[in-house]
Amino acid sequence: MGRGILLAVTAGAAALLVVIALLQASGGGTRAGMAAQPRITVNQVGYVPDGPKRATLIAQAQAALAWRLLDTEGKEVASGMTRPAGVDPTARLNVHVIDFSGFTQAGEGYRIEADGEVSFPFAIGRGFYEALARDALNYFYPVRSGIAIDGAIAGEAYARPAGHISAPGKGEINQGDRGVPCLSPERSERVYGVPWTCDYTLDVTGGWYDAGDHGKYLVNGGISVAQLMSAYERALYVDGASFAHFADGALAIPEAGNGVPDVLDEARWELEFLLKMQVPEGKPLAGMAHHKVHDTEWTGLPSLPHEDDKQRRLHRPSTAATLNLAAVAAQGARLFVKYDPAFANRLLKAAERAWHAAQAHPDLHAPETDNMGGGPYADDDVADEFYWAAAELFITTGAVHYRDALVASPYFRGDVFRDNGFDWAFVAPLGRMSLSLVPNALSAEEIAFFRASIVEAGRRFAALQEERAFGQIYVPSNGEYGWGSNHSFAQIGTIVARAYDYTRDPRLREAALEGADYLLGRNALGISYITGYGSHYAQNQHSGWFAHQVDPSLPHPPKGALAGGPNAALQDPFAAERLAGCAPQRCYIDDIESWSTNEITINWNAALAQFAAFLAEQ
Ligand code: 9MR
C-alpha cells in the first residue's frame, strides 16, 4: 500500500481516494503509485483563530463554486462561494480561492468541501507554530559533526557515532577532520587555475554538516548561524517577542540546563568550527578563512558520517568566507559576553583579524569550478559581505572605521531586498536587519531609514502576495522557482515579520501568517514541505544518513526538516527525467535521489526556525 493511500484510509474520507487526473496528468511531483492529493489545498496543520484562513481549489470551472467548512463530525459550520482566480502562472492550473477567515472557532479536524472534493483536515487554534519553532531549531543537533548523537536526546532513531573525528590516514575508514591538509597544487590548478596549496593541516572537527552531504562550508554556515543568533537577538529587542524556544532547556541538545540559552549553545557548536577554519598567523593569507572542507569525491547514498572513507581537504580561502567569519564572530561576541566573556573575546579577535585580512585580499573568490565532492558556493560579488561584516562589527565595537566602511557601501542607503528575500550569496539584508534592531551608534535618522526600508520591503511582498491564489509570499519576478525556493518563502516571511514588528500593522501580520500556508500544504502539489507536519508531507529528502528511503534501518529526516522545494531548473538527473516541462511550482519530487528539488540544509532550516519563532507568537 502506497503511503498516500494509507493516509487517505486512516483519514477515513472516501473522497480522498479519488485519483485526480488533473494533478497527475501534467507531471507534478506525485510519486508513482500514490493517490493524488485533494484538489482543495490547505495549510494541513492549522490556522490561528484571528488570522487569515484561505484555501485554494484547483478546478476547471470559471464561475464561482459553493464551499462548505465541515467540523470534525462532518457538520457544516460555515459556507460561501469561491473567488475564481484564473490560471496561476507558477502552477499553470486554474484555481479558486476559498476564504473562511470569518470563522474563528478553535477546534481540530476541520475540512473544506467544494466541487466534490474534501480537503485534508486542519486545526484552528494555537500551539502548532510553537512546536514547529522548536522542531526547526532541534534540526541542528542531529546534523552536528564531530560528536556522537545521543538517542536519549535526539530520539533513538537519530543516534549515531561521531562523524569525522579521526586524523586522516590512507585507507582508514572515516578520514576525519582532526588534521586536514589543503587541496594539492594539481587539483587547485584544475579548479582555480593556479597551483594553490598550504603547508599546514588544521583540526576542523565540529560544526554542522551542510545538508545531505558531509561538506562544511563557511558561507552557508555563516548565514545559518547568523539567523539562529538573530532569531534570539530579535527576542531581546522586540517588545512582546518570546524567548520560549530559545531558553536554556527549551531544545533537545546535550547542553540543555547549562545556564546558557539553548539556541546560543547550538550556535556555538558552529562558531567554534568557523574559528578553526581561519588561516593561522605566519602563513600565507593569515586571518582569511578557508572557503570549505569536504570530501575529494562525492559520497553515495546512504553514507553515514562515521563511515565516510573519503579524503577530506581544505579549500582555498575566500573573501566571502572570511567576511562571513567576521560577521558572525562579531555578532557572537556581543551575545556571548554575558555567558562566557573569554569566548566572546576570542570571537571578537577572530572577527577583527578576519576583517583586516579581507581588506588585504578583497577579491579572492570561490569559483563554480570547485565542485568535486562538494558544492562550490561560488560568489564573485562580495560588496554585500563587506557591508554585513562592517555592520556586525560596528554594532559590537562602535569603532569609527567600521562606520566609515558602512557609510561607503552602496548598501548603506540602497535597496537590499531582492525578490527572493536573501540567501547565502546575498547577505546585505542580514546587515540591514541587525542595524535596524540592535542598539548602535548610528543616528536616529539612519536607524529610522533602515526600519522604513524593511517596512517598505515587507509591504511590497505583501502586495505581491495579494495577487497570488496560493497566498504565495514569494513571487519571483522571472516567474521561475530556483534551488531552495521553499527557503525563499521562509526568508521573505522573516522580512514581512520584521516589518510587522516595526509597525504592528495587522495587514503585515496577516501576510506573514498566510505566507506560511504554502509551506504547510497550500500549494500546487498539496504537500507540506516540512517533515512531520500535515497529512501528506515531504520525508524522503536527499541525505546520506536520514536515508530511510534507500535503507529502511535509517530514519527519515527529523520532524521540522524543510525540503528545498520546487526548482524549475531541474538540476539533478532524477528530477530532469521525471519532471520535464513542469510548471515552476510543480518541479518537485519527494525522492531521495532529487537533490536539486528535495535536499535539506542548515540555511533553509535556520530561515524556517526564525520565521516559525515569529509565527509562534501570533
Ligand atoms: O543552496 C545552494 C544553491 O543556492 C545553489 O544553487 C546550489 C548549486 O550550487 O547549491 C546549493 O547548495 C548545496 C551545496 O552546494 C552542497 N550541499 C547541499 C546544498 C543544498 O542543496
Side-chain angles (χ1 to χ4, degrees), residues 57-88:
L57 168 69
I58 299 165
Q60 302 289 17
Q62 300 297 315
L65 297 166
W67 60 262
R68 305 195 309 142
L69 176 63
L70 310 176
D71 70 10
T72 190
E73 263 110 52
K75 192 167 107 289
E76 180 183 311
V77 290
S79 64
M81 296 299 283
T82 66
R83 179 174 66 75
V87 172
D88 178 284

Coordinates of all heavy atoms in Angstrom, one line a residue, residues 57-88:
L57 N -8.6 26.0 -4.3 CA -9.3 24.9 -5.0 C -8.7 24.9 -6.5 O -8.7 25.9 -7.1 CB -10.8 25.1 -5.0 CG -11.6 24.2 -6.0 CD1 -11.6 22.7 -5.5 CD2 -13.0 24.7 -6.1
I58 N -8.3 23.7 -6.9 CA -7.8 23.5 -8.3 C -9.0 22.9 -9.0 O -9.5 21.8 -8.7 CB -6.6 22.6 -8.3 CG1 -5.5 23.2 -7.5 CG2 -6.2 22.3 -9.8 CD1 -4.3 22.2 -7.2
A59 N -9.6 23.7 -10.0 CA -10.8 23.3 -10.7 C -10.9 23.9 -12.0 O -10.4 25.1 -12.2 CB -12.0 23.6 -9.8
Q60 N -11.5 23.2 -13.0 CA -11.6 23.8 -14.3 C -12.7 24.9 -14.4 O -12.6 25.8 -15.3 CB -12.0 22.7 -15.3 CG -11.1 21.5 -15.4 CD -9.8 21.9 -16.1 OE1 -9.4 23.0 -16.2 NE2 -9.0 20.9 -16.4
A61 N -13.6 24.9 -13.5 CA -14.8 25.8 -13.6 C -14.3 27.3 -13.6 O -13.3 27.6 -12.9 CB -15.7 25.6 -12.4
Q62 N -14.9 28.1 -14.4 CA -14.6 29.5 -14.4 C -15.4 30.3 -13.5 O -15.0 31.3 -13.0 CB -14.8 30.1 -15.9 CG -14.0 29.3 -16.9 CD -12.5 29.5 -16.8 OE1 -12.0 30.6 -16.5 NE2 -11.8 28.4 -16.9
A63 N -16.7 29.8 -13.2 CA -17.6 30.5 -12.3 C -17.4 30.1 -10.9 O -16.8 29.1 -10.6 CB -19.0 30.3 -12.7
A64 N -17.8 31.0 -10.0 CA -17.7 30.7 -8.5 C -18.4 29.4 -8.2 O -19.5 29.1 -8.8 CB -18.3 31.9 -7.7
L65 N -17.8 28.7 -7.2 CA -18.4 27.4 -6.8 C -18.7 27.5 -5.3 O -18.1 28.3 -4.5 CB -17.4 26.3 -7.0 CG -17.0 26.0 -8.4 CD1 -15.8 25.1 -8.5 CD2 -18.2 25.3 -9.2
A66 N -19.7 26.7 -4.8 CA -20.0 26.8 -3.4 C -19.0 26.0 -2.6 O -18.5 25.0 -3.1 CB -21.4 26.1 -3.2
W67 N -18.7 26.4 -1.4 CA -17.8 25.7 -0.5 C -18.5 25.6 0.9 O -19.3 26.4 1.2 CB -16.4 26.3 -0.4 CG -16.4 27.7 0.2 CD1 -16.2 28.8 -0.6 CD2 -16.4 28.1 1.5 NE1 -16.2 29.9 0.2 CE2 -16.3 29.5 1.5 CE3 -16.5 27.5 2.8 CZ2 -16.3 30.3 2.7 CZ3 -16.5 28.2 4.0 CH2 -16.4 29.6 3.9
R68 N -18.1 24.5 1.6 CA -18.6 24.3 3.0 C -17.4 24.0 3.9 O -16.5 23.3 3.5 CB -19.6 23.2 3.0 CG -20.7 23.3 2.0 CD -21.9 22.4 2.3 NE -21.5 21.0 2.4 CZ -22.0 20.1 3.3 NH1 -23.0 20.6 4.1 NH2 -21.6 18.9 3.4
L69 N -17.4 24.6 5.1 CA -16.5 24.2 6.1 C -17.1 23.2 7.0 O -18.2 23.4 7.5 CB -16.0 25.5 6.9 CG -15.1 25.2 8.1 CD1 -13.7 24.7 7.6 CD2 -14.9 26.5 8.8
L70 N -16.5 22.0 7.1 CA -17.1 20.9 7.9 C -16.3 20.8 9.2 O -15.0 20.9 9.2 CB -17.0 19.6 7.2 CG -17.6 19.7 5.7 CD1 -17.4 18.3 5.0 CD2 -19.1 20.1 5.7
D71 N -16.9 20.5 10.3 CA -16.2 20.2 11.5 C -15.8 18.8 11.6 O -16.1 18.0 10.6 CB -17.0 20.7 12.8 CG -18.2 19.8 13.0 OD1 -18.4 18.8 12.4 OD2 -19.0 20.2 13.9
T72 N -15.3 18.4 12.7 CA -14.7 17.0 12.8 C -15.8 15.9 12.6 O -15.5 14.8 12.2 CB -13.9 16.9 14.1 OG1 -13.2 15.7 14.0 CG2 -14.8 16.9 15.3
E73 N -17.1 16.3 12.9 CA -18.2 15.3 12.7 C -18.8 15.4 11.3 O -19.7 14.7 11.0 CB -19.3 15.6 13.7 CG -19.2 14.7 15.0 CD -18.8 15.4 16.2 OE1 -19.4 16.5 16.5 OE2 -17.8 15.0 16.8
G74 N -18.2 16.3 10.5 CA -18.8 16.4 9.2 C -19.9 17.4 9.1 O -20.6 17.5 8.0
K75 N -20.2 18.1 10.2 CA -21.3 19.0 10.2 C -20.8 20.4 9.6 O -19.7 20.8 9.9 CB -21.7 19.2 11.7 CG -23.0 20.0 11.8 CD -23.5 19.9 13.2 CE -23.4 21.1 14.1 NZ -22.5 21.8 14.6
E76 N -21.7 21.0 8.8 CA -21.3 22.3 8.2 C -21.3 23.4 9.2 O -22.3 23.5 10.0 CB -22.3 22.6 7.1 CG -22.0 23.9 6.4 CD -23.1 24.3 5.4 OE1 -23.4 23.4 4.5 OE2 -23.6 25.4 5.5
V77 N -20.2 24.1 9.3 CA -20.1 25.2 10.3 C -20.0 26.6 9.6 O -20.1 27.6 10.2 CB -19.0 25.0 11.3 CG1 -19.3 23.8 12.2 CG2 -17.7 24.8 10.6
A78 N -19.7 26.6 8.3 CA -19.6 27.8 7.5 C -19.8 27.5 6.1 O -19.5 26.3 5.7 CB -18.4 28.6 7.8
S79 N -20.1 28.4 5.3 CA -20.2 28.2 3.8 C -20.0 29.5 3.1 O -20.1 30.6 3.7 CB -21.5 27.5 3.5 OG -22.6 28.4 3.8
G80 N -19.9 29.3 1.8 CA -19.7 30.5 1.0 C -19.4 30.2 -0.5 O -19.6 29.0 -0.9
M81 N -19.0 31.2 -1.3 CA -18.7 30.9 -2.7 C -17.2 31.2 -2.9 O -16.6 32.1 -2.3 CB -19.5 31.9 -3.6 CG -21.0 31.7 -3.5 SD -21.5 30.0 -4.0 CE -21.4 30.2 -5.8
T82 N -16.6 30.4 -3.8 CA -15.2 30.6 -4.1 C -15.0 31.9 -4.9 O -15.9 32.4 -5.5 CB -14.6 29.4 -5.0 OG1 -15.3 29.5 -6.2 CG2 -14.9 28.1 -4.3
R83 N -13.8 32.4 -4.9 CA -13.4 33.5 -5.8 C -12.6 32.9 -6.9 O -11.4 32.5 -6.7 CB -12.6 34.5 -5.0 CG -12.2 35.7 -5.9 CD -11.5 36.8 -5.0 NE -10.2 36.4 -4.4 CZ -9.1 36.3 -5.1 NH1 -9.1 36.5 -6.4 NH2 -8.0 36.0 -4.5
P84 N -13.1 32.9 -8.1 CA -12.3 32.3 -9.3 C -11.1 33.2 -9.5 O -11.2 34.5 -9.5 CB -13.3 32.4 -10.5 CG -14.7 32.6 -9.9 CD -14.5 33.3 -8.6
A85 N -9.9 32.6 -9.6 CA -8.7 33.4 -9.7 C -8.0 33.1 -11.0 O -6.8 33.6 -11.2 CB -7.8 33.1 -8.5
G86 N -8.6 32.4 -11.9 CA -7.9 32.2 -13.2 C -6.8 31.2 -13.1 O -6.7 30.4 -12.1
V87 N -5.9 31.3 -14.0 CA -4.7 30.3 -14.1 C -3.6 30.9 -13.2 O -3.1 32.0 -13.5 CB -4.3 30.0 -15.5 CG1 -3.0 29.2 -15.5 CG2 -5.4 29.3 -16.3
D88 N -3.1 30.2 -12.3 CA -1.9 30.6 -11.5 C -0.7 30.3 -12.4 O -0.5 29.2 -12.8 CB -1.8 29.9 -10.2 CG -0.5 30.3 -9.5 OD1 0.6 29.8 -9.9 OD2 -0.6 31.0 -8.5

